[in-house]
Amino acid sequence: MTVPATLSDPPLPGASNPPPVGGSAGAAPNRQTASTDSEGRASGVAPSSQTADVVVIVYDAGADVVEVERQRTAASLARQTLESSRFAVVELGDLELAALPAQLPPWACLVAAGDELDPPLLEALLASAHPGCVTLGYTALTTPDGSRAGFDQALNRLIGVAAPTGGEGVVAVGGGEGAAPPVDAGPSSRVVGQLPPFVHGWLLPSSWLLEAAAELGSGPTGAAAEAGRGWSEPSAEAGPGGREPAAEPGGLTATDLWRWIKTRRSPALAACPPTAGAVYRSRRLPTAVSQVADELAWRGSERLLRPSKETPATRLQYVASELNHAAAETLAVSYAFAPFMDTAGIVATKRMMAKGAPFDAVSHSVRAHVKQDAGLLGLVQDTLGHLYRTLGPADPADTPGVDEFARQSMLAIQPRLDARGPYRQLYSRAQWPASNVVAALVKARFPQTFWQAEFSDPLLLNMVGEERQADRAPIACAAEIDAAIRRAGLPVTTSQNYFEWVEDIAFALADEIVFTNPNQRDFMLSRLERSRSELAARGRELARVSEHPTLPAAYYRMRRAPIKLPPGRTNIGYFGNFYATRSADDLLGPLSRLAPAARRRLALHIFTEKPKRVRETLAEAGLDDCVFAARALPYFEFLNACTRMDWLVMADAHVRGVYPLNPYLPSKWSDYRGSGTKVWAMTEDGSILSGKPLDAATPLGDDDATVAMLERLAGDPGGA
């Protein structure tokens, strides 16, 4: 492909550029001032006094920008920015291109009134310019008062391309003085589709402005169209400003010009490399939502409009996620967030759904350990912005991996922090413990952010009374987090055990600490009271109890589970895995004691991650006539299956004799209770589960009571 030709390609920097009429090298920078008519449109240009390579056009970009702002911007450019005879400044009212003379310097740059052009930018643009190309520089979108500048936008990411990739869609990246023109960088629908509708701060051939004005109905006419007009005295015969009025007065918009360039010139893009101080600072898009709307206009339009196998819902979700990201003031940190079918991550996803506000999330890929269910993201599709997923080994005790998770997470959110500053709110859920590390690091760097830290379970002590152990030394950010704790005037743990430290940092830095039940709260705080009473007192003051959320009934009907239930039997559902503190023996032992006739009237359906192993156990025990094992269902199918059982069964964790109180509330209870199906629980005395409105309860480990319950269910097939 070849570079598209224009009517008059401007010469490259360093070439012999014919000066405009009256030009002379080495003169002081010049501000060309146009007088305006009663409607604020430019009506003429004062004579030039120097050779110019670029005309900088300052114009009123919106009704909210008054003439004094345009004049201030132009004066600032002339005084501070254009310290070179290569540049000239001209003011327009609206973007009335017809008010420009017919002969211009070879290049043009548009500046909206109120915006700022860093001094080195025009030089950098010229150094990277190529004929027939639009040359782009970095743009910062600032707040109206200029106090905060954001660089996280698609235009800058486009410029950040390190080198031409070759083939269709090449973006030419200038390399400064002496850089070769792009190879095979001709027109491409892909490149043109990426041309952002933000013409300010571009370097473009000035002839395009006049061609656009002519074709769009407001081009130069009369005396102003004479070939020799240029930067000269206005013609008295042509009326005020040296030209006859356009047939259809009224300025173009920047979008009009962008559309014309995109469709009529199909330009390749050249981008000047990032240079300190070479930035266009725009106040035209002061809010993040406006910014993302601008991005979607060019980065999203291709995806939304081109032929694609994507469903309309997928495309709309892409738009929604970008808009949510732009509005997000909350960051969620959940190591195994949706779409992973991890219990802690599912609860975190439901928490964010309940909050109902736009948010971004940081997670880690745990695909080596946990299956995925894409439907889980549907819970937050209305509010989820960007989901940042880090990569690496997933092991709760792998502290080098925790350090890498923290490093990648901060890198992921840094563009958002640069663009808009810190998040206002921060939510984390541990398990997995690494969630606390990233959240604490964010809090350490941005103390004004409100951190809500939730514990799903105790982190230091496991279910059998043992301390989990891992060395926290490899976690590089630990020193920064500890320093923040000291600044808060609180004690820092001297323990090198990661699991003790990762609990303590939440008690020291979080603004609210959420427990799923009061037993868990008292259990975790009692440990602190024995070692660091000050932290314990803070934790108790900030503590809040919130049980796992239950979804509305509609979610139980979203996806029908592909299960078959035998008629004439009482169908009992058990969903989950078996391990040391929740053993299959609590059910299978009592079942084996039933009479064959009673067993034939029961059907226990076990949905678990390792059904083959369970089937082998059932065959050995001779229970495969009444117990059926199947693979764990995707989340919404699981919810639906709950509604179709006659009974649901669950059990407390075995901690009697290990801890004085049971700190665990199975999250399954929140899912079961929303199904409308009867629930039978095997509970420990004094546990939180034992106090729930159960349809039946038997003591955990009491096989006689369990046998009696099974006989009751067998005596009333279809539900007792």
Side-chain angles (χ1 to χ4, degrees):
M1 291 181 285
T2 58
V3 175
T6 63
L7 293 180
S8 176
D9 278 341
L12 292 173
S16 178
N17 299 344
V21 175
S24 61
N30 182 50
R31 174 185 171 197
Q32 306 288 341
T33 306
S35 59
T36 57
D37 61 17
S38 60
E39 295 183 28
R41 294 191 299 272
S43 55
V45 230
S48 172
S49 61
Q50 86 288 333
T51 299
D53 291 331
V54 180
V55 54
V56 181
I57 301 169
V58 181
Y59 77 103
D60 297 350
D64 58 322
V65 180
V66 296
E67 182 179 356
V68 66
E69 185 73 2
R70 163 168 46 85
Q71 294 174 351
R72 184 197 65 77
T73 301
S76 174
L77 286 170
R79 182 177 64 255
Q80 299 177 16
T81 304
L82 307 179
E83 299 296 331
S84 168
S85 61
R86 305 177 69 186
F87 311 114
V89 181
V90 62
E91 293 178 44
L92 298 178
D94 296 330
L95 188 54
E96 183 64 39
L97 301 180
L100 295 171
Q103 184 175 328
L104 297 171
W107 298 97
C109 181
L110 294 175
V111 176
D115 291 353
E116 298 176 3
L117 197 68
D118 283 356
L121 180 59
L122 285 175
E123 294 284 2
L125 290 170
L126 275 172
S128 299
H130 298 294
C133 289
V134 168
T135 309
L136 311 177
Y138 264 57
T139 299
L141 302 180
T142 72
T143 52
D145 62 0
S147 61
R148 186 192 297 170
F151 295 87
D152 180 23
Q153 54 168 308
L155 174 59
N156 292 345
R157 290 193 288 273
L158 177 64
I159 294 169
V161 176
T165 58
E168 187 173 357
V170 164
V171 176
V173 180
E177 186 176 354
V183 178
D184 196 27
S188 158
S189 59
R190 183 173 144 213
V191 168
V192 172
Q194 288 186 328
L195 190 67
F198 186 81
V199 297
H200 308 134
W202 293 7
L203 190 70
L204 67 158
S206 58
S207 60
W208 291 3
L209 301 181
L210 301 180
E211 294 164 25
E215 292 190 24
L216 295 174
S218 58
T221 60
E226 296 175 6
R229 172 66 61 192
W231 299 94
S232 58
E233 291 284 0
S235 166
E237 297 80 26
R243 67 177 67 244
E244 295 174 0
E248 297 181 14
L252 303 173
T253 66
T255 303
D256 293 332
L257 180 59
W258 167 73
R259 287 198 186 101
W260 185 90
I261 293 172
K262 176 180 176 180
T263 58
R264 302 291 290 170
R265 287 294 166 262
S266 300
L269 306 182
C272 67
T275 303
V279 174
Y280 183 93
R281 301 181 183 276
S282 172
R283 301 185 190 184
R284 308 307 306 154
L285 299 174
T287 68
V289 172
S290 297
Q291 173 186 338
V292 81
D294 179 67
E295 288 196 39
L296 288 171
W298 68 280
R299 182 160 60 88
S301 59
E302 274 199 330
R303 178 171 180 177
L304 295 174
L305 301 177
R306 69 172 181 252
S308 170
K309 294 182 180 179
E310 288 181 318
T311 65
T314 300
R315 299 185 189 190
L316 289 175
Q317 185 54 44
Y318 162 76
V319 175
S321 67
E322 292 298 315
L323 292 173
N324 286 331
H325 171 63
E329 293 292 351
T330 299
L331 176 68
V333 183
S334 172
Y335 192 85
F337 198 74
F340 293 104
M341 293 175 60
D342 174 83
T343 300
I346 291 173
V347 174
T349 305
K350 292 195 287 186
R351 292 284 195 209
M352 297 313 298
M353 172 191 173
K355 291 179 184 295
F359 73 100
D360 294 330
V362 170
S363 179
H364 187 74
S365 176
V366 293
R367 61 188 306 171
H369 307 277
V370 184
K371 293 184 180 298
Q372 298 184 64
D373 177 4
L376 283 169
L377 287 174
L379 293 173
V380 289
Q381 65 180 2
D382 292 337
T383 54
L384 177 60
H386 285 185
L387 173 56
Y388 305 102
R389 188 180 302 156
T390 64
L391 300 175
D395 180 346
D398 175 25
T399 50
V402 171
D403 180 68
E404 182 62 14
F405 173 58
R407 188 189 70 83
Q408 290 187 36
S409 296
M410 296 308 296
L411 285 175
I413 66 173
Q414 193 60 49
R416 192 286 186 189
L417 299 175
D418 290 341
R420 297 177 53 205
Y423 291 91
R424 292 182 182 178
Q425 297 185 5
L426 173 66
Y427 167 81
S428 66
R429 192 166 203 272
Q431 300 282 6
W432 296 35
S435 300
N436 271 5
V437 178
V438 171
L441 184 56
V442 172
K443 178 67 176 179
R445 293 182 181 179
F446 305 103
Q448 68 271 41
T449 297
F450 185 94
W451 177 18
Q452 182 188 63
E454 179 175 358
F455 287 104
S456 65
D457 298 298
L459 302 181
L460 174 61
L461 297 170
N462 64 20
M463 289 184 176
V464 295
E466 299 170 343
E467 285 194 1
R468 297 182 175 97
Q469 294 287 335
D471 182 12
R472 72 178 176 108
I475 303 175
C477 65
E480 186 175 352
I481 294 171
D482 286 349
I485 295 173
R486 292 189 187 94
R487 288 195 298 272
L490 293 167
V492 174
T493 178
T494 57
S495 171
Q496 290 302 302
N497 184 0
Y498 163 66
F499 288 100
E500 182 175 359
W501 174 78
V502 81
E503 265 193 17
D504 290 356
I505 59 178
F507 287 115
L509 293 177
D511 299 283
E512 183 178 73
I513 303 169
V514 178
F515 302 92
T516 60
N517 68 83
N519 281 6
Q520 177 203 6
R521 175 199 60 201
D522 296 343
F523 178 87
M524 296 183 68
L525 290 175
S526 66
R527 177 190 69 82
L528 274 182
E529 287 167 349
R530 293 191 296 270
S531 56
R532 283 178 292 284
S533 58
E534 193 172 353
L535 277 188
R538 185 178 190 275
R540 194 169 292 280
E541 179 183 354
L542 300 176
R544 182 169 71 86
V545 172
S546 177
E547 291 188 4
H548 311 102
T550 297
L551 293 176
Y555 287 92
Y556 290 75
R557 301 187 297 270
M558 282 187 63
R559 192 181 302 168
R560 186 169 178 81
I563 59 174
K564 294 182 179 180
L565 303 178
R569 295 190 179 197
T570 301
N571 289 287
I572 308 167
Y574 179 92
F575 299 85
N577 298 318
F578 298 106
Y579 40 93
T581 57
R582 286 197 180 104
S583 171
D585 292 342
D586 292 323
L587 276 173
L588 301 186
L591 266 172
S592 66
R593 292 170 51 183
L594 293 182
R599 283 171 29 192
R600 285 194 294 270
R601 293 194 295 271
L602 293 176
L604 174 62
H605 304 271
I606 297 175
F607 297 88
T608 185
E609 289 298 331
K610 297 179 179 179
K612 182 178 179 181
R613 184 179 301 175
V614 175
R615 291 190 198 108
E616 293 171 350
T617 301
L618 295 174
E620 292 173 1
L623 293 174
D624 49 0
D625 60 336
C626 64
V627 185
F628 310 96
R631 187 167 297 280
L633 296 169
Y635 186 68
F636 294 115
E637 292 181 10
F638 148 66
L639 294 182
N640 180 255
C642 287
T643 68
R644 293 160 61 188
M645 298 292 171
D646 299 310
W647 282 82
L648 300 170
V649 62
M650 62 186 303
D652 259 331
H654 285 273
V655 297
R656 187 171 55 241
V658 178
Y659 297 127
L661 73 168
N662 191 324
Y664 304 102
L665 173 62
S667 64
K668 205 69 67 184
W669 163 248
S670 67
D671 295 320
Y672 279 9
R673 71 178 176 180
S675 69
T677 300
K678 296 176 182 179
V679 179
W680 163 31
M682 295 176 283
T683 64
E684 288 193 338
D685 288 341
S687 74
I688 298 298
L689 182 60
S690 68
K692 296 303 177 187
L694 303 165
D695 297 283
T698 55
L700 183 63
D702 187 336
D703 286 357
D704 291 340
T706 303
V707 169
M709 182 65 191
L710 289 169
E711 289 175 337
R712 171 190 165 191
L713 298 183
D716 186 11

